[in-house]
Each structure stands twice: as structure tokens, then as C-alpha cells.
Amino acid sequence: MMRCSDRLLCSLFLAAALFGVAAAATRRHDWDISYQFTSPDCVRKLAVTINGHTPGPTIRAVQGDTIVVNVKNSLLTENVAIHWHGIRQIGTPWADGTEGVTQCPILPGDTFAYTFVVDRPGTYMYHAHYGMQRSAGLNGMIVVEVAPGAAGDGEREPFRYDGEHTVLLNDWWHRSTYEQAAGLASVPMVWVGEPQSLLINGRGRFVNCSSSPATAASCNVSHPDCAPAVFAVVPGKTYRFRVASVTSLSALNFEIEGHEMTVVEADGHYVKPFVVKNLNIYSGETYSVLITADQDPNRNYWLASNVVSRKPATPTGTAVLAYYGGRRNSPRARPPTPPPAGPAWNDTAYRVRQSLATVAHPAHAVPPPPTSDRTILLLNTQNKIGGQIKWALNNVSFTLPHTPYLVAMKRGLLGAFDQRPPPETYAGAAAFDVYAVQGNPNATTSDAPYRLRFGSVVDVVLQNANMLAANSSETHPWHLHGHDFWVLGHGAGRFDPAVHPAAYNLRDPIMKNTVAVHPFGWTALRFRADNPGVWAFHCHIEAHFFMGMGIVFEEGVERVGELPPEIMGCGKTRGGH
């Protein structure tokens, strides 16, 4: 019997054995994180870069591979942590990259090696998970291919295509993340505002270069950093577009002009194919869509992203679909038509229909457990604490502790966070009016985690409500670390536990790691608490998580192996305590 002397190698070995992947490779990356001047929308500003670039390199791997990313923090005055969004970190919870939850941040000048197995094929992403750093440019994509032979009968995936492209969607501000964070913490609050530009693969176009002397001086529309991204296609061929949204605020609608898109994957799970003209995509989500290059090859076409769910104040983000082989077409020629404007920004019903249409592929559906052991009903509201505007769940606004939960729990540092259990429902749930402004908006703060029995089945119902202003409710994309969950249902108005569960989709629900809660509505999800560790669950809008819209789950932490000392050094672990 093999004895493991190295906790990390043991965890990776067990993960590889669990997924039955033979001859897996180790793929190594060396990243230097630094501030660099960039011009992604033609306006020169500092961005957090990987090896001098934003977005960072796409990580490509095969199911079962081990990824090693050596991260050097060269920011000098700023910490770093990187989250591998959608990678479940089975056996390596300390590599999740969530500052305050699974690790202390990487200090200026320090180096940290993230090592983990990519256990499932699909389209994923990575991004900063320290403060509001994600909106400063530290992000990129992860593409995991099916392992040879893993699908059986030579059928690698339930669809075929001739080539593929990766599309990373983002929003972009000219103010620094420090300015944005300071504004959110101010009394009165200074909101981050709508983004100046929408980027596709890190490129966009700010249209108001002359709006102020400062902007005009730093704006260069001929800068190569802001030349539109070009996606080449050959007439008659079918292409897979892997689309990811790493936006900090914006819900987006994505369109490829003149081409229908067939949705085939969502967050690494195969979808029962359905055709759309526009793809609604929320921060933290990934999709794969298939298109056929069957339009006039003598011209090019727009890729376009537009803001939905919030009243837009940002121009359309654009890139170019370039047809190769047209007799009268240049691959870099601008399309002759205006960029698509997308659907109405406030058409919630249209977006709910897409959410309901996203179900599991019949040949790849994983049935959920028929019942749950526990239900947590979370009312999402905008509140006030000491004059500051916050977001809260069941009237509790989340705060991160100075000592990461994973470290505190493994080392018995019980004073590192609140030990009192957080609320599982909210006052007046049976009659709460989600359309009304709250009579008492005051809330409290807490860093208490939800403790889950290992192996139990947990239902979480996310209830959206009115904000502090009348007649206002927003879409919130919720992301669960360390798991995929079944999306059991969406509904309008107040969730009724005596009525709505009877209509849950238990036949073919899609599994995801990020899901939208629509305005004035609810979303129900189910997951199995079977991944030992401590995992964040939060709104993926950067400002909302910063303002308290999140919680933490603990499950089976006693099963986690010895922690690497490199994740310690802050809070109660400072100085080796």
C-alpha cells in the first residue's frame, strides 16, 4: 500500500485516480503580475497584467492534466490572489485562490505556486480575487479538452465543429479600482457608474475621446492595443465560439451579426441544443455556441456585446468576424453595417426564457437527488449600516475575516470568525413584499460561515427584492466555488416553499457554477456538499460582493489534508502562530 508523504502529490494522485484519467500531463506556467500602461479602449491607463498583457494567456489543457502556475507578485504595493473559476479544486481547496477564504493573499515581491487538476472538460476562466482587483485587468480563459478515450466510442462531444475561437467579454473603467472601492465605502456612497467601454478579448473603443482635456490627451484611436479583435472563418465551415464573461458589473447580450448561434455548453456542461440570435451572458458564466459561416463571404460581420438589465450608458463593444476566401473582401475590413444594438435592455421576460431553455443534454444529464436535506432561503436586499449602503442576505451583510476560514478551521483558531450560525431564512418570509421598499433598511454585518454536513444535499433559494429606491431591482449572477449545482427553477415574485418546489425541474436541470437571479424573482439550486473545504458563494458583480453580497459554506474540513504553509501569514497566522 502506497504511503503519501507529500500532501499535494497525494491529493493530485487521488484526484487523477478518481477521474480515471491515464497519462495526464503537467502543464507549467510562470506568471509575473505587474502594473503596466495599456490602452485597451484607446485610453492609456494602468492595468494589472500577466507577463505584461491583459487579458492574460489562455490556459489550455486536457481533462486530468495537472496545472502549475507560478505567480510572482510584482505589484510592489498591492496583494494578489487568483481564482480558477469553474475548477472545483477536488483535493486542493487551498488552491481555489480566494483571499480570506482559502488563502492569505500573495504579498508584494512574493511567489506562490497554484497546483491543481482540471478534472472536467469545458470552458472556464480565471481572475483576481483580491479586493476589486478583477476589474483592473487580471483575467483570462481556461479551455479543457476531453481526454482521449474518455467519452467512449470515439464520440468526444455531442456536437462537431471545424475550428474554434475563444471570446472573453469584459467591461472597462478609466477610474482605478482604488477610487471605485473608496467611493463604495463613502458616506454618501459614490457609485462606480457605468463602464466607459465594453471589451472583447481585451479590445474596445472609447467613443468620447474629446469629452475632457485629460481624456483627450491620453486617447489614441490608432493605438494597436485597441484595434478590434478579428475572428477568422472559412465559408461553409462550422465553428465553436467559447464565450466567457468576466465583467465587473454588466450583464451582457452577445451577438454575431447575421449568424444564428446554437448553444451547446454552459459552465462546462453540455446543453440540449437550442438556437438563439442573441446570447444573454452574466458575469462569471461561460457558454459554447456553434455557428456556420454561411453568409455572404464578400464582407465581414460584427461581433457585438451590449449591456442588458441596467439602463445602458456604454457603447456597444465590437469585434470583427472575418470571412476568408471572399473575392472582394479584406480580412480586416470593417463591416458595412452599424453594430447590432441587441434586444431591449429591460426585457426581463426574454432573458428568463433563455434561462429556462438552458437544460442538460439528454445524453449527458445528471439527475439531481430527488430531495434535499436542508433548505437555505436567502433574501437579497440593499441595506444601510452606519450610513453606508450595503447589500445583505437575510439582513446580514457579509465581511471577510483577516484569517482565511480554511486555515482557521484546520488550526482551531475559533476566534478568527463569528461562531454563531447565520440565518437560514428571513423574517416575514411568508408575506414579504419583494416589490416594496423595505420599511427598515438597517442591517448587521457578520463573517459567520454556513456549516454543512458532509455529503448532505443542500437547496439554496435566492430571492431578489426591491432596492432602496422604488421600482428598482437588478440581475445578480451568483457563483459557487468548489461545486457545480443543479438549477432547479426560476420564478417571478416571492418564493413560496409550500408551492414552488413542486414545479422544480428534476428531469434534466442544467448543472452550472454561476446562475442569474432575475429582477424581482427567485432562483432555486441544489448541490451535494461533498467537496471538503471552505467555499465562497457570492454575487459575481465586483461592487456587490465588496458591499457584502455573499456567504461562505464549510463542509468536511476535517477531511482536508495538511495545509501548505504558503497560504498562511496573515491574521492570526502571522508570525507562525
Side-chain angles (χ1 to χ4, degrees), residues 256-262 275-277 290-292 294-295:
I256 301 178
E257 182 189 14
H259 297 73
E260 290 186 332
M261 297 181 287
T262 302
V275 176
V276 295
K277 177 186 176 185
L290 301 181
I291 74 159
T292 299
D294 56 4
Q295 299 301 300

Side-chain angles (χ1 to χ4, degrees), residues 21 23-27 60-67 116-119:
V21 178
T26 298
R27 301 176 186 268
R60 293 188 174 272
V62 174
Q63 178 186 9
D65 284 351
T66 297
I67 306 298
F116 53 89
V117 171
V118 286
D119 63 278

Side-chain angles (χ1 to χ4, degrees), residues 466-478:
N466 198 87
M467 297 163 60
L468 290 176
N471 303 314
S472 59
S473 184
E474 296 181 354
T475 302
H476 299 288
W478 276 79

Side-chain angles (χ1 to χ4, degrees), residues 71-317:
V71 176
K72 180 183 179 183
N73 180 8
S74 296
L75 295 181
L76 300 181
T77 60
E78 197 168 336
N79 299 330
V80 166
I82 301 177
H83 171 53
W84 315 96
H85 185 116
I87 307 302
R88 293 179 294 177
Q89 301 295 347
I90 297 174
T92 52
W94 51 79
D96 189 52
T98 315
E99 182 270 333
V101 179
T102 61
Q103 71 168 103
C104 293
I106 308 169
L107 300 178
D110 279 0
T111 300
F112 181 84
Y114 288 101
T115 305
F116 53 89
V117 171
V118 286
D119 63 278
R120 194 183 64 252
T123 307
Y124 310 102
M125 70 184 82
Y126 62 84
H127 55 77
H129 217 294
Y130 175 79
M132 292 184 64
Q133 207 172 64
R134 172 160 57 95
S135 64
L138 203 173
N139 51 64
M141 293 189 69
I142 303 173
V143 174
V144 182
E145 301 286 353
V146 177
D153 301 324
E155 184 64 38
R156 293 170 57 84
E157 293 174 303
F159 46 85
R160 296 187 180 277
Y161 51 94
D162 302 301
E164 73 171 47
H165 293 288
T166 57
V167 182
L168 186 63
L169 305 177
N170 201 5
D171 42 14
W172 193 248
W173 282 259
H174 294 160
R175 286 196 299 162
S176 72
T177 56
Y178 289 117
E179 292 174 287
Q180 294 182 49
L184 293 174
S186 298
V187 180
M189 180 184 72
V190 180
W191 177 238
V192 298
E194 298 303 305
Q196 274 69 61
S197 304
L198 299 178
L199 308 182
I200 299 179
N201 284 5
R203 296 167 178 264
R205 182 77 175 265
F206 181 58
V207 299
N208 297 317
C209 278
S210 59
S211 59
S212 71
T215 304
S218 62
C219 190
N220 178 5
V221 296
S222 62
H223 198 289
D225 282 1
C226 59
V230 176
F231 300 85
V233 295
V234 174
K237 300 291 186 180
T238 296
Y239 293 85
R240 178 182 190 169
F241 280 72
R242 297 179 182 264
V243 188
S245 173
V246 73
T247 56
S248 294
L249 172 66
S250 308
L252 297 176
N253 183 272
F254 175 72
E255 181 174 350
I256 301 178
E257 182 189 14
H259 297 73
E260 290 186 332
M261 297 181 287
T262 302
V263 181
V264 294
E265 179 216 349
D267 289 1
H269 292 275
Y270 301 129
V271 171
K272 182 179 181 181
F274 64 99
V275 176
V276 295
K277 177 186 176 185
N278 309 86
L279 176 72
N280 298 300
I281 181 167
Y282 306 98
S283 177
E285 288 191 316
T286 63
Y287 288 93
S288 284
V289 298
L290 301 181
I291 74 159
T292 299
D294 56 4
Q295 299 301 300
D296 180 1
N298 295 303
R299 55 157 292 187
N300 291 334
Y301 300 82
W302 292 111
L303 280 74
S305 66
N306 286 283
V307 172
V308 291
S309 187
R310 300 177 62 87
K311 187 174 183 178
T314 310
T316 301

Side-chain angles (χ1 to χ4, degrees), residues 281-577:
I281 181 167
Y282 306 98
S283 177
E285 288 191 316
T286 63
Y287 288 93
S288 284
V289 298
L290 301 181
I291 74 159
T292 299
D294 56 4
Q295 299 301 300
D296 180 1
N298 295 303
R299 55 157 292 187
N300 291 334
Y301 300 82
W302 292 111
L303 280 74
S305 66
N306 286 283
V307 172
V308 291
S309 187
R310 300 177 62 87
K311 187 174 183 178
T314 310
T316 301
T318 57
V320 174
L321 184 74
Y323 268 71
Y324 275 66
R327 291 173 297 172
R328 301 185 302 277
N329 187 46
S330 167
R332 293 193 173 275
R334 288 175 60 87
T337 49
W345 69 270
N346 56 354
D347 188 350
T348 301
Y350 167 77
R351 292 183 284 114
V352 172
R353 285 195 299 272
Q354 181 187 296
S355 293
L356 294 173
T358 307
V359 297
H361 190 284
H364 296 269
V366 179
T371 59
S372 66
D373 302 304
R374 181 177 180 180
T375 298
I376 300 173
L377 176 57
L378 297 174
L379 174 67
N380 183 76
T381 54
Q382 198 175 45
N383 297 74
K384 288 185 177 181
I385 300 176
Q388 290 183 316
I389 295 179
K390 296 287 188 179
W391 287 95
L393 285 309
N394 295 349
N395 221 41
V396 177
S397 186
F398 178 68
T399 58
L400 279 169
H402 294 296
T403 306
Y405 292 100
L406 183 62
V407 178
M409 291 178 183
K410 285 297 292 181
R411 305 195 74 178
L413 304 174
L414 299 181
F417 56 85
D418 191 346
Q419 297 295 310
R420 295 170 295 179
E424 309 239 337
T425 187
Y426 57 96
F432 191 88
D433 186 355
V434 300
Y435 298 99
V437 177
Q438 296 183 76
N440 179 13
N442 294 317
T444 59
T445 61
S446 176
D447 56 11
Y450 286 80
R451 305 269 196 160
L452 307 179
R453 179 172 58 82
F454 186 75
S456 63
V457 177
V458 181
D459 280 3
V460 178
V461 181
L462 296 160
Q463 175 70 69
N464 213 341
N466 198 87
M467 297 163 60
L468 290 176
N471 303 314
S472 59
S473 184
E474 296 181 354
T475 302
H476 299 288
W478 276 79
H479 171 55
L480 177 58
H481 294 225
H483 300 79
D484 294 325
F485 49 73
W486 291 274
V487 181
L488 301 184
H490 299 268
R494 179 179 58 83
F495 174 80
D496 188 339
V499 175
H500 291 128
Y504 282 170
N505 176 14
L506 301 178
R507 183 184 65 260
D508 59 355
I510 190 64
M511 296 189 77
K512 297 185 93 269
N513 62 65
T514 305
V515 69
V517 186
H518 295 287
F520 299 111
W522 56 265
T523 296
L525 55 94
R526 177 171 294 172
F527 70 97
R528 197 182 294 277
D530 57 1
N531 190 6
V534 189
W535 309 105
F537 181 46
H538 62 94
C539 178
H540 211 255
I541 293 175
E542 193 85 314
H544 290 181
F545 186 41
F546 180 85
M547 297 166 68
M549 196 187 299
I551 60 174
V552 163
F553 293 122
E554 177 274 324
E555 60 203 59
V557 76
E558 70 282 355
R559 299 168 182 253
V560 175
E562 183 184 351
L563 302 180
E566 295 82 5
I567 69 170
M568 306 178 200
C570 60
K572 292 183 177 294
T573 67
R574 192 168 53 187
H577 297 295

